[in-house]
Amino acid sequence: MSLSQQPLAYGRSAMNAPVSEERRVLRRAASAAFMGNFVEWFDYAAYGYLAAVIAVVFFPQTDKVSGLLATFAVFALSFIVRPIGGIVWGHIGDRFGRRNALSLSILIMSGSTFCIALLPGYAQAGLAAPGLLLAIRLVQGFSASGEYAGASAFLAEYAPEGKRGFYTCLVPASTAAGLLVGSLFAAQLYTHLDSAQLHEWGWRLPFLLAAPLGLIGRYIRLHLADTPKFREMEAAMEQKQGQHRAPIRELFGTHRKHLLVAVGATCLNAVAFYLILSYMPTYLSAEMGMSESDSFLASTVSLATYIGFIFLMGKLSDRFGRKTMLVAASLLFLALTVPLFRLLGNQGFAFILLIQIGFGLMLAMNDGTLPCFLAEIFPTRVRYTGFAFSFNTANALFGGTAPFIATWLISLTGNKLAPAWMLVAAAAVALLAMLCVRETAHRPMED
C-alpha cells in the first residue's frame, strides 16, 4: 500500500505524519539516486581531466596526439558493453526490483573504479598495463549502464504527480556534481603536484575515493524500500497465471517506436554532455592554447552554473512539458553551436567563460528534461529496460566516442570546428525524434 493510501488518524500530528513520512522517504530515495551517479561521473571526470597524464603513464611510446587518441579510445571502448549492460540491469530492475539492481551495480562500479588506482603503468607492466586498463573500463561500463536509467526510473516512480521533472532532474545534477568535484580535484592535483609526482602517483588519488563513496551509496540503497509503482506492478502480476515475457522481448515486440524515439532523443545528450562538460577542458588547452589552469577554472564555473540550471529546467518541464523543452533545446543547439565555437578562438578568459555558461544553459534545458521523458514513455514493466537500453545505446554509439572522434577529426582535417558540427548533427537527430512523439507530461505514468 502506498503512503498516500494509508489511513489517517484524527488530530493535526496524525494528519501530518503521512506527509512527513513521505518527505523522508523521498529524501532517502533522492540520496540513493544521487550517490551512485556521483561516483560514476566523478570517475569519468577524473579520467577525462587527467587524460594527458594517463596517456603518458599507459602509452608513453606514442606522440602527444596519438597518446590522447589511445586514452580516449579506451574511454570509448568502455561504452561498447553499455547496451548489453542496459539489458542485464534492466531485466534485473524490471523483474526483481529497482533497488536490487541499483544496490548491486554501485558495488561493482565503485570496486572496479578503485582497481584503476592500483594498476601498474607501462613502465612496470609493458603492454599488459593498457590491456588491464581497458579490461577494468569494460567492467565499469557494464556496471555503470544501470545507474543513470535506474536512478531516473527510481525517482520518477517515487515522485508525486506534477513534480516528476523536478525530482528526476536530480540525476543529471548528480552527474554534473561528480564532474564538478572531479574537475576541482584534478585542478588541485595540477596546482600542488609537480609533473613527476602527478605521473607517478598523483593521478591515482581520485580513483581511490570510489571505494568509500560506493559503500556509502550501497548502504543507503539497501535500507530503502522499492518504488510504489514497482510494488503495485509486482502485486498485480502475482495474481496473473502463466509465463511473462522477458522485458527486452516485450520492449522490441510492443514498444519499438518509443525505443527508436528514445535513442534519437538521447543523441543530443550523449554528444553534448561529453563534448561540453568532459572534453572541453582538453579542447581549450590542446586546441585553443588556453592554459590548463584557466581551462579547468572555466569548466568548473560553468559546471556549477549548469547544476543550478538543471533544477530550473526540471521545474519548467513540469510546467510546460517535456516535449516543449527538448524541442527548444534542439533548436538552440542547431542555431548557436557553430557561432559560439567560432567565438572561442582568440578571446579572453571572461568571454570564453560566458560562452561555456551559455552552452551549459542549453545543455541543462535538454538534460534537465530528458530523464523524466525517458521514464514516462515506457510502462512500468519495461521502464528500466527501455530507459537503460535506449540511453546506453545512444551513449555507446555517440557519447563515449565523442572525445575520440572530435580529437581525430581535428587531427585529420585541421578544422577546430569539428566538435561543433558533431553537436549540430546530434541536435538535428534529437529534434526529428521529438517531433514523432506526443507530450508525456501532465498525465499519470503508464502502467
Side-chain angles (χ1 to χ4, degrees), residues 88-101 226 230 233-234 247 384:
V88 173
W89 294 114
H91 183 89
I92 295 172
D94 284 329
R95 277 296 182 87
F96 305 105
R98 285 58 162 127
R99 187 195 69 164
N100 291 330
D226 221 316
F230 178 81
M233 180 199 74
E234 196 173 36
Y384 202 139

Side-chain angles (χ1 to χ4, degrees), residues 120-136:
Y122 187 91
Q124 292 79 37
L127 291 174
L132 289 171
L133 177 64
L134 175 59
I136 292 179

Side-chain angles (χ1 to χ4, degrees), residues 15-320:
M15 293 178 64
N16 289 337
V19 177
S20 300
E21 174 66 11
E22 185 172 354
R23 289 176 178 173
R24 185 182 68 84
V25 172
L26 277 171
R27 285 196 298 268
R28 291 179 62 190
S31 300
F34 181 92
M35 185 58 72
N37 282 279
F38 177 86
V39 174
E40 177 187 349
W41 296 103
F42 176 81
D43 157 63
Y44 280 109
Y47 190 92
Y49 295 146
L50 295 170
V53 177
I54 293 174
V56 175
V57 173
F58 289 93
F59 308 97
Q61 305 302 318
T62 59
D63 58 76
K64 183 177 179 181
V65 173
S66 298
L68 271 179
L69 284 172
T71 303
F72 285 134
V74 171
F75 179 87
L77 286 171
S78 69
F79 281 74
I80 291 177
V81 297
R82 285 205 164 203
I84 300 172
I87 296 173
V88 173
W89 294 114
H91 183 89
I92 295 172
D94 284 329
R95 277 296 182 87
F96 305 105
R98 285 58 162 127
R99 187 195 69 164
N100 291 330
L102 290 170
S103 298
L104 182 57
S105 67
I106 193 174
L107 188 64
I108 299 175
M109 183 181 62
S110 57
S112 58
T113 301
F114 178 79
C115 287
I116 289 183
L118 308 179
L119 285 179
Y122 187 91
Q124 292 79 37
L127 291 174
L132 289 171
L133 177 64
L134 175 59
I136 292 179
R137 295 298 296 186
L138 290 174
V139 175
Q140 281 182 309
F142 174 80
S143 58
S145 59
E147 273 296 325
Y148 196 99
S152 299
F154 195 77
L155 284 176
E157 292 178 352
Y158 257 116
E161 290 293 333
K163 294 185 178 181
R164 285 196 300 267
F166 177 74
Y167 276 96
T168 53
C169 76
L170 182 67
V171 176
S174 67
T175 66
L179 286 173
L180 176 59
V181 176
S183 172
L184 290 171
F185 203 100
Q188 292 301 310
L189 291 177
Y190 277 110
T191 301
H192 296 291
L193 299 180
D194 59 36
S195 180
Q197 293 171 325
L198 196 58
H199 287 78
E200 184 177 351
W201 53 268
W203 67 272
R204 302 178 186 271
L205 295 180
F207 301 107
L208 289 172
L209 294 175
L213 291 174
L215 291 175
I216 293 171
R218 177 172 169 80
Y219 176 84
I220 295 173
R221 289 175 176 183
L222 284 176
H223 289 77
L224 186 68
D226 221 316
T227 68
K229 282 284 186 182
F230 178 81
R231 283 178 282 155
E232 290 170 6
M233 180 199 74
E234 196 173 36
M237 292 182 70
E238 286 178 356
Q239 299 176 4
K240 296 182 180 180
Q241 302 297 322
Q243 294 291 325
H244 302 285
R245 285 193 296 175
I248 191 65
R249 290 184 61 190
E250 181 173 348
L251 184 68
F252 279 98
T254 310
H255 307 284
R256 286 191 297 269
K257 176 187 175 182
H258 285 162
L259 183 61
L260 290 173
V261 167
V263 172
T266 308
C267 285
L268 179 55
N269 162 269
V271 176
F273 186 90
Y274 289 100
L275 287 185
I276 293 173
L277 298 183
S278 180
Y279 172 71
M280 188 62 79
T282 302
Y283 177 80
L284 290 174
S285 59
E287 306 297 342
M288 294 298 172
M290 197 174 187
S291 69
E292 289 179 338
S293 59
D294 282 348
S295 66
F296 278 125
L297 179 59
S299 296
T300 299
V301 175
S302 63
L303 268 173
T305 58
Y306 167 81
I307 294 173
F309 291 144
I310 282 285
F311 288 104
L312 173 62
M313 299 306 171
K315 289 183 70 69
L316 290 178
S317 76
D318 283 328
R319 181 174 180 180
F320 298 108

